[in-house]
Amino acid sequence: KQEVTQIPAALSVPEGENLVLNCSFTDSAIYNLQWFRQDPGKGLTSLLLIQSSQREQTSGRLNASLDKSSGRSTLYIAASQPGDSATYLCAPANFGNEKLTFGTGTRLTIIP
Amino acid sequence: NAGVTQTPKFRILKIGQSMTLQCTQDMNHNYMYWYRQDPGMGLKLIYYSVGAGITDKGEVPNGYNVSRSTTEDFPLRLELAAPSQTSVYFCASSYSTAGQPQHFGDGTRLSIL
C-alpha cells in the first residue's frame, strides 16, 4: 500500500527566500505525481503534475522534481511571497488503479 | 467558468439522520471523485465514477452511497449519520485519470452531533 510522507509538517520562512518542500512515497510504481495547494477553508488547487517519465516540471516560480526510483519529489518555490502561504500536498497516482494517495501536507507561512 | 460546485458548504446533522452532499461540474469531465479530509490525515477516497452510470468504491466507502445519472452530477449520500463521519468532504473531477490534474470543489464541512 502506498504511503506518502511530507516533512516538515509546518514551515515558516521570511519573504523573499527560496525554499524546498519534500515528499516521499513508498511505492515507486506510479503514473505521475501532483502537487496541490490548499488555502484555509478551500479546496485543493493543482499546481504541477509530473509524469513518471519526467524529472522536472516548472510553472512560474514553482519547480517540481521527481526521483521515482528513490521515491522522492520536491517542490521548489523561488522568491517566496506572503501569498504563497498555504498548505502544500503531494499525491502520487498509483500505477494500476491510477488513484491518488495524499500526504498530510506541509503548512507554509511566509513572514512579511 | 464555475468548475466544481459543492453544496451545502456547512451542515450539522444529528446521529441517525440522512443527507445528500451535492456536487456538480461544468467541465464535461468523465471522472469524478469524493474524498474526506480529517485533521492531521491525508485525503481519503470514498467513491469515484468513470462516467455516467458507473461508480466504484474507494478506500473508505462504508456508510456512504453514490449515484451518477449524468456527466455533471455526482451526489454523495449518508444514510445513517454517525459521529465518525464528521469531516470535510471534497468532490473532484478530471478529464481522465493518469496524466490529467484533478479539479476540486471548496468542500462541505459536516458535523455529526
Side-chain angles (χ1 to χ4, degrees):
Chain A
K1 178 184 175 183
Q2 180 76 276
E3 294 183 2
V4 181
T5 303
Q6 293 185 249
I7 296 174
L11 179 65
S12 294
V13 299
E15 180 179 1
E17 284 198 1
N18 304 325
L19 61 99
V20 175
L21 305 180
N22 297 299
C23 171
S24 61
F25 47 94
T26 57
D27 187 349
S28 61
I30 63 172
Y31 268 125
N32 57 50
L33 184 143
Q34 291 187 53
W35 280 93
F36 293 88
R37 168 187 174 134
Q38 185 176 25
D39 293 291
K42 295 292 187 180
L44 281 66
T45 300
S46 182
L47 297 173
L48 289 165
L49 184 152
I50 314 178
Q51 301 293 353
S52 61
S53 58
Q54 295 178 311
R55 298 281 295 181
E56 286 189 1
Q57 190 70 253
T58 298
S59 176
R61 294 182 294 108
L62 306 180
N63 176 277
S65 68
L66 176 64
D67 185 343
K68 198 174 65 168
S69 61
S70 67
R72 294 184 178 184
S73 178
T74 62
L75 179 67
Y76 174 83
I77 302 177
S80 58
Q81 304 172 357
D84 296 329
S85 297
T87 296
Y88 291 81
L89 301 98
C90 69
N94 304 322
F95 191 87
N97 62 26
E98 303 172 13
K99 301 300 175 291
L100 297 182
T101 300
F102 285 86
T104 53
T106 294
R107 188 174 69 252
L108 176 65
T109 302
I110 306 300
I111 304 166
Chain B
N1 197 347
V4 178
T5 302
Q6 292 184 237
T7 57
K9 295 187 183 302
F10 305 94
R11 185 73 183 267
I12 298 175
L13 282 182
K14 294 183 179 179
I15 295 172
Q17 287 186 320
S18 62
M19 77 163 294
T20 300
L21 281 65
Q22 302 290 346
C23 175
T24 299
Q25 54 93 8
D26 62 359
M27 296 172 283
N28 201 32
H29 285 167
N30 293 319
Y31 292 75
M32 296 188 74
Y33 314 83
W34 274 106
Y35 295 93
R36 60 177 289 172
Q37 185 177 37
D38 300 310
M41 307 286 287
L43 278 77
K44 302 293 185 184
L45 182 65
I46 304 171
Y47 270 96
Y48 66 99
S49 169
V50 301
I54 306 171
T55 63
D56 207 348
K57 297 178 180 179
E59 186 179 357
V60 289
N62 291 343
Y64 307 95
N65 280 300
V66 293
S67 59
R68 184 95 181 272
S69 57
T70 67
T71 299
E72 296 79 18
D73 301 310
F74 190 40
L76 178 71
R77 178 90 178 157
L78 283 71
E79 291 293 349
L80 290 170
S84 61
Q85 294 177 306
T86 294
S87 188
V88 181
Y89 291 85
F90 290 101
C91 178
S93 71
S94 63
Y95 183 71
S96 65
T97 53
Q100 296 293 329
Q102 292 188 14
H103 299 260
F104 281 74
D106 284 342
T108 294
R109 294 182 177 273
L110 181 62
S111 294
I112 314 296
L113 304 177

